[in-house]
Every structure is written in structure tokens, then in C-alpha cells.
Amino acid sequence: QVQLVESGGGLVQPGGSLRLSCAASGSIFSIVAMGWYRQAPGKQRELVAGITSGGSTNYADSVKGRFTISRDNAKNTVYLQMNSLKPEDTAVYYCNADPTPWFRWGQGTQVTVSS
């Protein structure tokens, strides 16, 4: 059973940056494509960035050029570097498998972008 623990969220001003981390347990992490998802209040959860086991990445149009996903398979960790943050990026951020999030969801990490 893979467990996911997200961290790194917080309150940041518009234009600021945050780096999220997702630590995963389990030996299969290195062979699974992973993604960062987010859910804003009153909205459905959406995939914002994905990375294959080999390091190929894809991004939602809303974050392209501002967010960077990466992974360290030796540490079973996936990261999301978020730059030029906007108020509309405010959400709870989760990691999970991509494109089908078949792991049990973690608790997520809250990102709030506000002045």
C-alpha cells in the first residue's frame, strides 16, 4: 500500500514561489508516472502537472511556464516548484499516480496566494 505525504504549502503573496514535496512509500514509486493535482473550494480536483518514470513532463495550460515538476526516485519523492503564483492557484495540492490516481489520497497541502 503506497502512502503519500505532501508538504511545503503555505501563504504567499502574488508573484511569489513555493516548492511542494510529496514523499511516497513503496517500492513501485520509481516505475509509476506521478502527478500533482489541486482542488480549489467548490471546484473539482484537477491535474496540473505530470511526470513519467523516465522524467518526461506535461502541464496544464494554466500553469505552463510557471510550475515545474520533478522527481527523485532514490528518495521516492516528487516535487512541484511553483513560481509567479497567482490568487487562482489557491487550492489544496495533492500528488498521486498519473493519469489514473489509483493510490490512496494523502492529506494534501494548502497553498494560499493572497496579498
Side-chain angles (χ1 to χ4, degrees), residues 6-61:
E6 300 91 349
S7 62
L11 173 64
V12 63
Q13 292 186 343
S17 298
L18 284 174
R19 189 193 195 207
L20 307 184
S21 299
C22 168
S25 64
S27 59
I28 67 170
F29 172 83
S30 63
I31 63 172
V32 175
M34 293 293 294
W36 279 98
Y37 300 76
R38 68 185 181 188
Q39 186 167 22
K43 295 187 178 181
Q44 289 190 332
R45 194 172 295 176
E46 62 173 345
L47 176 69
V48 297
I51 185 166
T52 67
S53 58
S56 296
T57 59
N58 61 276
Y59 300 93
D61 288 343

